[in-house]
Amino acid sequence: MVERKVTSVDVARRAGVSQSAVSRTFTPGASVSVATREKVLAAAQALGYRPNMLARGLITRTTGLVGVVVGDLGNPYHPILFESLASRLQDRGKRPLLVHVPPQGTADAAVFEVLQYQIDGIILVAGSFAEATARECLAIGTPVVLVGRGIGDEGAEKLVDTVSSDNAGGARLAVEALVAAGHRRIAFIAGRRDTHSNSERHSAFLQALARHGLEPAGEEEGSYSYEGGRAAAQRLLARSPLPEALFCANDLMALGALDALRAAGLDVPGEISVVGFDDIPMAAWPAYELTTLRQDVDGIVTHAVDLLEARLSDHGRTAEQVILDVTLVKRNSARL
Amino acid sequence: MVERKVTSVDVARRAGVSQSAVSRTFTPGASVSVATREKVLAAAQALGYRPNMLARGLITRTTGLVGVVVGDLGNPYHPILFESLASRLQDRGKRPLLVHVPPQGTADAAVFEVLQYQIDGIILVAGSFAEATARECLAIGTPVVLVGRGIGDEGAEKLVDTVSSDNAGGARLAVEALVAAGHRRIAFIAGRRDTHSNSERHSAFLQALARHGLEPAGEEEGSYSYEGGRAAAQRLLARSPLPEALFCANDLMALGALDALRAAGLDVPGEISVVGFDDIPMAAWPAYELTTLRQDVDGIVTHAVDLLEARLSDHGRTAEQVILDVTLVKRNSARL
DNA sequence: GCCGAGGCCGCATACGTATGCAAAAATCTG
DNA sequence: CAGATTTTTGCATACGTATGCGGCCTCGGC
């Protein structure tokens, strides 16, 4: 088996034209007559020719590859976002080059690795990111879009494009609804301390409480996982008086918390309310019927790739920070 | 902002050596003295040089890119498998180039697209695949590994490497356990009809029943989704006599079925047993405690990338079909 | 001090495609 | 139908790196 790759030169020879003609046939918008195009296409078809994107990328300086940094696909919210993102990118003719960062890991090292592939841009859905790394990406003309996260070092805002949900607004929504329904002792189950989303949700939670002259009725960290949420709820259950409501920084923890509360024989929402964040599919399952704050996944993804493309066509534009509304979906885990 | 990429030539000039020296410094196992290596590294560091993988791949004919075809990340089993696969690939110095195929879609078109990136191999975790496509990949020296699926056209076995769980064995295990516990009227909730896994689980289910002189107490399709499983269970509930047990082709459907049964006021496992397949995390949640067949995700992933690498270092080797054991994990959704 | 053996190095070329430029062909204009 | 204009074409070169080859240098052994 001869492992001959068929190149544009082979096609050219067979079609009786120049290599340029072949290239032009496969370059949309290039100047080729229909006659030659047909000849070339026929030859290409016969030989099974496929343009070599590496060689092409070497010249055009654009590969169609987009680095996508993800992590913790165990949280159902992420695969959903990711799937949407991947197919959106594909629709726009781009290909996601994956970078998986382990739970605690930082994305910097991996980012430098994918930069070698001359990617057109980077979308960060997980992991943190040092400002220096961002600067370097921008310096070599690779746009960066952060989704659902801030840049590691604060103050470096206006540097990269950003899209995320209105975390603060969501937390406020939850607190207002709970307070309006008469809850006073409201506890918080936090996600990973080192995340942007958690700090925003957390501090907005505190502020909203304060606005009503309230203090949190407990705070525990659940690391954004089901197990973590369960354990956090259990710790909260040791307090007395018991909290009347739990606001969880994401749904997965809320589900864990719900299971812990039930195991303890508590009636939800009769004796205690639970509110989550994200609105993952499981939240709607009859076994949970979780009241939660829905993130606009579609909007997030759309804005993310829009920002990326905008940046690609105008490298000089100033970074934009998109914040998307979050909606409270009332189900049956909170007395509202 | 001048968008000058720094190349090996720039580094060479600055380090006062030839471009070859730079290249050799970044090529493991090449012949360079420590002195020049240091000079080069220093210059590279100062300039922020990163080798261009495209140019490199053009020459070495190996990119480190592996096409990974995924789909339906809404089923929690997939992101788990996918995450494991991605990080395993990364550990071996390869990068997953993602191809997302829509639910019903075939992977062929997308595969041809990623082939243009001169990927080193393809791992198919979703989507189907025409034999012709496989042959073409092999013809140009791109190994293909199918995980959890067969090749579209049957009979083309020995063509590509394959790793999957022992679906038949799993179905048998489930039926034997159910029958041994005294169940007689056992129904089946099927996954997508066009999948390999579903046909294997289905026919082994029928055979196992037949071995005991039994017929299925109903069969409904649930398309591998939660909603599908729920609807299928509802249809099954219309039958009389009611089935005594439900064997579901995957966990997600089993959870949907469970919720449907409960909504109908049935006691599980008192009045009816439910067995799933996969062992996704939600199966262990106290709200479900689903008895199911666990797939060895880790083993699957390991074998998949092992097979890929084996093929890469010896293109002539004959295809291998790895089948991994599945284990019955007894929880509380089936009277066993 | 001489010779042989390696180890390093630089030169030149190749990988497969896109594209500016000028020539050629086709089309239009009056 | 000639000239002007546009479209199409081929030539040559560039993208950034890897690598075979021959030459240089170094070092050790005698």
Side-chain angles (χ1 to χ4, degrees), chain A residues 83-113:
Chain A
E83 181 166 23
S84 170
L85 182 58
S87 72
R88 191 71 48 100
L89 283 173
Q90 244 168 253
D91 292 347
R92 309 254 184 131
K94 309 213 172 302
R95 294 248 155 246
L97 182 55
L98 207 73
V99 177
H100 175 80
V101 312
Q104 310 293 354
T106 162
D108 303 72
V111 164
F112 282 122
E113 285 230 0

Side-chain angles (χ1 to χ4, degrees), chain B residues 32 174 236 297:
Chain B
V32 210
L236 249 17
V297 173

